[in-house]
Amino acid sequence: MKLVMNEKDVHKIIELAKKSPIEVCGFLLGRKVGNTLTVEEARETRNRLNSPVEFEIDPLEIAEVLDEAEEKGLEIVGIFHSHLKCPPMPSGKDLKGMNLWRNVWLIVTPSGEFRAWTIENGELKELEVEIR
Ligand SMILES: [Zn+2]
């Protein structure tokens, strides 16, 4: 599987991360065709934990985003969030979340690093990210 994103969306998420004293988070809306996940929109949400070391998205906001995606004919292909002080690799808590939300997890840092992860057959896998 690979994740295809445009430069504008990646830039937008990194800029959010740079400006925020807490972890930023949101969803990647797009389409899945074969083994390629194409992101059409990065949709920011609130981090209801207001924390620099973890994030959580309000279920009501998740429902809102699902509705928005449906209206646009898109699906939620991934989740993004930032790590302020750690490398863009899933934390223990992220791994638990990944087992619930089995789509792609994009993690960015304020310094501009980004990596995408997924769990496949119970194992953490890194995905190629193609920027267009
Ligand atoms: Zn994390």
Side-chain angles (χ1 to χ4, degrees), residues 24-35:
V24 296
C25 53
F27 291 102
L28 302 173
L29 308 183
R31 294 187 178 85
K32 184 176 183 196
V33 179
N35 274 332

Side-chain angles (χ1 to χ4, degrees), residues 44-97:
E44 187 193 0
T45 61
R46 286 183 309 268
N47 175 356
R48 73 167 177 180
L49 300 179
N50 273 317
S51 163
V53 292
E54 58 182 343
F55 80 100
E56 206 172 274
I57 303 171
D58 193 301
L60 286 174
E61 208 172 358
I62 298 175
E64 264 174 47
V65 177
L66 279 167
D67 282 348
E68 273 177 38
E70 199 178 333
E71 275 167 28
K72 292 173 180 165
L74 302 173
E75 53 187 308
I76 292 179
V77 294
I79 292 179
F80 69 84
H81 74 285
S82 63
H83 280 178
L84 274 60
K85 296 213 165 96
C86 324
M89 298 184 65
S91 66
K93 187 177 175 186
D94 291 339
L95 288 170
K96 284 184 194 152

